[in-house]
Amino acid sequence: MKVGYCVVNYSEKPVEEVVQLAAGKGYEAVEIPSYGDNGQIDSVDMLKGNNASNLRKMVEKYGLFISAVSNHADSLLVLGPYGVDTDSICPGTKEEKIKFGTESILRSAQLANALEVPVVIGFTGIENFGHICDWPYSKGWADEEARFVERYVPILDKFREYGVKLAFEPHPNNLIYDTWSAKRCIEIADNHPSLGINFDPANILVSGINPERFVYELGSWIFAVHAKDCEIVEHDLAKPGLMMQGEWGRPDRSYRLRIPGWGSVNWKGVITELYKAGYDYVISYEHEDTTMSRVDGLDKAIGYLKPLMIHAPYEGRNDKLFSM
């Protein structure tokens, strides 16, 4: 396994500057953005001429490689929500937003193909997350699933043509948000070979799910991993519960997104389960910790994660005391 870095942690800096910074700290790969207005990569421009090849060579010049392409923002619009919720991503009608999201995620697949990167990461989105409750409309969730099959299976077919995987990141306010919904979407997409999961243990833990169990259940469908921690703040938990509203940085949150090692995720257990499940790729550090600077995170995350990486399987032992 290798430790990677999400370059959008410094979205105001040029990509090469962030790549050089990550390489100097010991990171081994980078995840790059492809959604609109990300401040670093213009996917339309990147698909012209030799631009994609030049980007890949620039990253390799610093001894790193591109592990994944991120389309978290635009991909949301394939299923919604629509209206004012997503006007900051794409203003317009529902139909215009669906078209925008679909074209953007397909362009990300093209870019990943051009960069020789195996996976694109995104969100499923959902038109009405309130359908997790079967009242007052008991068929609401089934309707959301039908829209997923209708809109995403053709997208997945195009991903297969490009030789690229689409890894959905489970997250509240998305059709895929927990273990059950992840497995269900794989099922209704008929186990599509291009459909998988980007595992972010913080998003899993904040939903009350055991991250190690999630890895055990999803196993070979995990195509990418984010290194983000979540601190369950016990002295604040009793009042609001886990699903607390409000700004990420408010001091009384019942959970806080943290850098790896500063939260409640059992990283040794998570990394062990990932490796047992056959995952031997990149764990990309994503900074969303409002308690410390990005410089703090840049230094602390690599120092914590790198010694935990598993580089080779158990080679076996056969003697009078132990045989395996």
Side-chain angles (χ1 to χ4, degrees):
M1 294 186 192
K2 298 183 184 300
V3 183
Y5 192 75
C6 297
V7 298
V8 292
N9 291 338
Y10 282 103
S11 60
E12 77 280 10
K13 294 181 183 291
V15 170
E16 184 166 4
E17 185 177 337
V18 184
V19 170
Q20 186 176 11
L21 182 64
K25 296 294 184 179
Y27 291 88
E28 299 160 286
V30 288
E31 178 182 313
I32 65 166
S34 63
Y35 48 88
D37 299 323
N38 62 70
Q40 293 176 321
I41 299 288
D42 184 329
S43 60
V44 175
D45 183 66
M46 195 56 60
L47 288 169
K48 297 175 182 176
N50 296 321
N51 290 346
S53 176
N54 290 339
L55 174 64
R56 187 180 73 250
K57 290 176 182 176
M58 179 276 289
V59 172
E60 292 173 350
K61 178 179 71 174
Y62 293 101
L64 280 66
F65 64 94
I66 303 171
S67 61
V69 171
S70 159
N71 192 317
H72 286 80
D74 298 350
S75 58
L76 193 73
L77 293 179
V78 176
L79 292 184
Y82 307 109
V84 69
D85 305 63
T86 49
D87 279 350
S88 62
I89 301 172
C90 173
T93 66
K94 172 180 174 179
E95 291 72 24
E96 289 170 333
K97 292 186 179 195
I98 294 171
K99 182 175 184 290
F100 178 87
T102 301
E103 290 176 350
S104 180
I105 194 71
L106 289 175
R107 196 161 52 246
S108 293
Q110 290 177 280
L111 179 58
N113 173 274
L115 291 168
E116 300 178 20
V117 172
V119 62
V120 172
I121 301 170
F123 287 134
T124 58
I126 190 169
E127 190 161 349
N128 183 358
F129 193 56
H131 283 152
I132 59 172
C133 180
D134 67 355
W135 187 88
Y137 179 49
S138 63
K139 294 183 173 61
W141 198 262
D143 288 350
E144 300 290 351
E145 289 182 345
R147 283 188 280 268
F148 174 82
V149 173
E150 175 190 354
R151 296 179 198 162
Y152 262 117
V153 168
I155 290 172
L156 290 164
D157 288 341
K158 293 298 292 184
F159 266 70
R160 178 161 49 184
E161 289 180 24
Y162 289 123
V164 178
K165 309 285 190 181
L166 177 53
F168 289 117
E169 183 171 331
H171 195 284
N173 208 23
N174 280 262
L175 187 65
I176 293 180
Y177 70 97
D178 66 356
T179 312
W180 185 91
S181 59
K183 296 181 77 172
R184 175 62 179 160
C185 282
I186 292 167
E187 177 187 4
I188 62 178
D190 198 24
N191 295 292
H192 199 290
S194 293
L195 169 60
I197 298 296
N198 176 63
F199 171 60
D200 185 320
N203 297 346
I204 296 300
L205 192 64
V206 80
S207 296
I209 300 163
N210 180 280
E212 295 99 303
R213 183 68 189 188
F214 183 90
V215 175
Y216 178 81
E217 292 286 341
L218 272 301
S220 61
W221 285 298
I222 296 175
F223 297 157
V225 176
H226 274 172
K228 188 170 83 226
D229 214 325
C230 173
E231 178 188 6
I232 306 301
V233 187
E234 297 292 341
H235 58 272
D236 285 328
L237 183 63
K239 186 163 55 176
L242 282 173
M243 299 306 293
M244 183 179 182
Q245 62 84 32
E247 297 178 358
W248 293 114
R250 62 183 290 182
D252 62 342
R253 288 203 75 97
S254 54
Y255 69 90
R256 304 184 186 117
L257 298 176
R258 304 303 309 270
I259 69 165
W262 285 65
S264 305
V265 172
N266 173 14
W267 285 98
K268 290 180 181 178
V270 163
I271 290 168
T272 298
E273 290 302 323
L274 282 168
Y275 200 71
K276 284 172 57 182
Y279 187 85
D280 191 17
Y281 192 45
V282 176
I283 299 178
S284 297
Y285 166 52
E286 181 184 26
H287 188 98
E288 294 182 357
D289 190 328
T290 62
T291 71
M292 66 176 70
S293 73
R294 290 172 294 175
V295 172
D296 280 317
L298 185 71
D299 289 330
K300 290 178 171 59
I302 190 69
Y304 178 79
L305 287 171
K306 206 160 189 179
L308 300 182
M309 294 299 100
I310 299 173
H311 301 293
Y314 178 54
E315 60 276 81
R317 172 181 163 185
N318 190 4
D319 57 46
K320 290 183 178 179
L321 297 177
F322 191 80
S323 178
M324 187 172 179

PDB file of all heavy atoms in Angstrom, residues 228-239:
ATOM      1  N   LYS A 228      -9.150   9.832   5.880  1.00  0.00           N
ATOM      2  CA  LYS A 228      -9.772  10.903   6.659  1.00  0.00           C
ATOM      3  C   LYS A 228     -10.343  10.286   7.921  1.00  0.00           C
ATOM      4  O   LYS A 228     -10.934   9.216   7.873  1.00  0.00           O
ATOM      5  CB  LYS A 228     -10.875  11.590   5.849  1.00  0.00           C
ATOM      6  CG  LYS A 228     -11.425  12.845   6.519  1.00  0.00           C
ATOM      7  CD  LYS A 228     -12.337  13.612   5.560  1.00  0.00           C
ATOM      8  CE  LYS A 228     -13.746  13.042   5.568  1.00  0.00           C
ATOM      9  NZ  LYS A 228     -14.295  12.859   4.232  1.00  0.00           N
ATOM     10  N   ASP A 229     -10.138  10.955   9.049  1.00  0.00           N
ATOM     11  CA  ASP A 229     -10.578  10.431  10.333  1.00  0.00           C
ATOM     12  C   ASP A 229     -11.816  11.179  10.810  1.00  0.00           C
ATOM     13  O   ASP A 229     -12.159  12.250  10.293  1.00  0.00           O
ATOM     14  CB  ASP A 229      -9.459  10.566  11.368  1.00  0.00           C
ATOM     15  CG  ASP A 229      -9.449   9.430  12.382  1.00  0.00           C
ATOM     16  OD1 ASP A 229     -10.546   8.938  12.746  1.00  0.00           O
ATOM     17  OD2 ASP A 229      -8.352   9.050  12.824  1.00  0.00           O
ATOM     18  N   CYS A 230     -12.485  10.603  11.777  1.00  0.00           N
ATOM     19  CA  CYS A 230     -13.668  11.213  12.371  1.00  0.00           C
ATOM     20  C   CYS A 230     -13.607  10.997  13.880  1.00  0.00           C
ATOM     21  O   CYS A 230     -13.464   9.872  14.349  1.00  0.00           O
ATOM     22  CB  CYS A 230     -14.932  10.571  11.802  1.00  0.00           C
ATOM     23  SG  CYS A 230     -16.453  11.099  12.615  1.00  0.00           S
ATOM     24  N   GLU A 231     -13.663  12.079  14.616  1.00  0.00           N
ATOM     25  CA  GLU A 231     -13.651  12.006  16.075  1.00  0.00           C
ATOM     26  C   GLU A 231     -15.076  12.068  16.610  1.00  0.00           C
ATOM     27  O   GLU A 231     -15.793  13.043  16.379  1.00  0.00           O
ATOM     28  CB  GLU A 231     -12.836  13.168  16.657  1.00  0.00           C
ATOM     29  CG  GLU A 231     -12.804  13.194  18.174  1.00  0.00           C
ATOM     30  CD  GLU A 231     -12.148  14.451  18.715  1.00  0.00           C
ATOM     31  OE1 GLU A 231     -11.814  15.360  17.917  1.00  0.00           O
ATOM     32  OE2 GLU A 231     -11.971  14.521  19.946  1.00  0.00           O
ATOM     33  N   ILE A 232     -15.491  11.012  17.274  1.00  0.00           N
ATOM     34  CA  ILE A 232     -16.781  11.026  17.964  1.00  0.00           C
ATOM     35  C   ILE A 232     -16.558  11.699  19.311  1.00  0.00           C
ATOM     36  O   ILE A 232     -15.852  11.176  20.176  1.00  0.00           O
ATOM     37  CB  ILE A 232     -17.337   9.600  18.167  1.00  0.00           C
ATOM     38  CG1 ILE A 232     -17.398   8.850  16.824  1.00  0.00           C
ATOM     39  CG2 ILE A 232     -18.706   9.664  18.830  1.00  0.00           C
ATOM     40  CD1 ILE A 232     -18.248   9.503  15.779  1.00  0.00           C
ATOM     41  N   VAL A 233     -17.135  12.878  19.478  1.00  0.00           N
ATOM     42  CA  VAL A 233     -16.890  13.689  20.674  1.00  0.00           C
ATOM     43  C   VAL A 233     -17.889  13.273  21.744  1.00  0.00           C
ATOM     44  O   VAL A 233     -19.041  13.743  21.777  1.00  0.00           O
ATOM     45  CB  VAL A 233     -17.007  15.197  20.356  1.00  0.00           C
ATOM     46  CG1 VAL A 233     -16.590  16.022  21.569  1.00  0.00           C
ATOM     47  CG2 VAL A 233     -16.158  15.556  19.144  1.00  0.00           C
ATOM     48  N   GLU A 234     -17.455  12.390  22.635  1.00  0.00           N
ATOM     49  CA  GLU A 234     -18.365  11.757  23.582  1.00  0.00           C
ATOM     50  C   GLU A 234     -19.087  12.763  24.477  1.00  0.00           C
ATOM     51  O   GLU A 234     -20.267  12.599  24.786  1.00  0.00           O
ATOM     52  CB  GLU A 234     -17.591  10.752  24.450  1.00  0.00           C
ATOM     53  CG  GLU A 234     -16.979   9.589  23.678  1.00  0.00           C
ATOM     54  CD  GLU A 234     -18.018   8.645  23.094  1.00  0.00           C
ATOM     55  OE1 GLU A 234     -19.171   8.663  23.571  1.00  0.00           O
ATOM     56  OE2 GLU A 234     -17.679   7.901  22.156  1.00  0.00           O
ATOM     57  N   HIS A 235     -18.410  13.829  24.893  1.00  0.00           N
ATOM     58  CA  HIS A 235     -19.046  14.767  25.813  1.00  0.00           C
ATOM     59  C   HIS A 235     -20.084  15.654  25.117  1.00  0.00           C
ATOM     60  O   HIS A 235     -20.855  16.343  25.790  1.00  0.00           O
ATOM     61  CB  HIS A 235     -17.991  15.637  26.522  1.00  0.00           C
ATOM     62  CG  HIS A 235     -17.113  16.424  25.605  1.00  0.00           C
ATOM     63  ND1 HIS A 235     -15.945  15.913  25.087  1.00  0.00           N
ATOM     64  CD2 HIS A 235     -17.218  17.669  25.103  1.00  0.00           C
ATOM     65  CE1 HIS A 235     -15.370  16.821  24.320  1.00  0.00           C
ATOM     66  NE2 HIS A 235     -16.127  17.903  24.308  1.00  0.00           N
ATOM     67  N   ASP A 236     -20.106  15.637  23.782  1.00  0.00           N
ATOM     68  CA  ASP A 236     -21.132  16.377  23.057  1.00  0.00           C
ATOM     69  C   ASP A 236     -22.180  15.467  22.423  1.00  0.00           C
ATOM     70  O   ASP A 236     -23.224  15.939  21.971  1.00  0.00           O
ATOM     71  CB  ASP A 236     -20.492  17.220  21.940  1.00  0.00           C
ATOM     72  CG  ASP A 236     -19.773  18.446  22.479  1.00  0.00           C
ATOM     73  OD1 ASP A 236     -20.226  18.986  23.494  1.00  0.00           O
ATOM     74  OD2 ASP A 236     -18.760  18.849  21.883  1.00  0.00           O
ATOM     75  N   LEU A 237     -21.908  14.163  22.395  1.00  0.00           N
ATOM     76  CA  LEU A 237     -22.737  13.225  21.643  1.00  0.00           C
ATOM     77  C   LEU A 237     -24.150  13.085  22.187  1.00  0.00           C
ATOM     78  O   LEU A 237     -25.111  12.941  21.423  1.00  0.00           O
ATOM     79  CB  LEU A 237     -22.047  11.856  21.609  1.00  0.00           C
ATOM     80  CG  LEU A 237     -22.741  10.752  20.807  1.00  0.00           C
ATOM     81  CD1 LEU A 237     -22.811  11.124  19.331  1.00  0.00           C
ATOM     82  CD2 LEU A 237     -21.979   9.445  20.979  1.00  0.00           C
ATOM     83  N   ALA A 238     -24.299  13.130  23.506  1.00  0.00           N
ATOM     84  CA  ALA A 238     -25.593  12.823  24.122  1.00  0.00           C
ATOM     85  C   ALA A 238     -26.698  13.794  23.708  1.00  0.00           C
ATOM     86  O   ALA A 238     -27.865  13.426  23.669  1.00  0.00           O
ATOM     87  CB  ALA A 238     -25.453  12.816  25.643  1.00  0.00           C
ATOM     88  N   LYS A 239     -26.336  15.014  23.376  1.00  0.00           N
ATOM     89  CA  LYS A 239     -27.363  16.007  23.064  1.00  0.00           C
ATOM     90  C   LYS A 239     -27.873  15.920  21.619  1.00  0.00           C
ATOM     91  O   LYS A 239     -29.064  15.733  21.403  1.00  0.00           O
ATOM     92  CB  LYS A 239     -26.825  17.409  23.370  1.00  0.00           C
ATOM     93  CG  LYS A 239     -27.864  18.516  23.218  1.00  0.00           C
ATOM     94  CD  LYS A 239     -27.432  19.799  23.904  1.00  0.00           C
ATOM     95  CE  LYS A 239     -26.088  20.306  23.459  1.00  0.00           C
ATOM     96  NZ  LYS A 239     -25.728  21.595  24.068  1.00  0.00           N
TER      97      LYS A 239
END
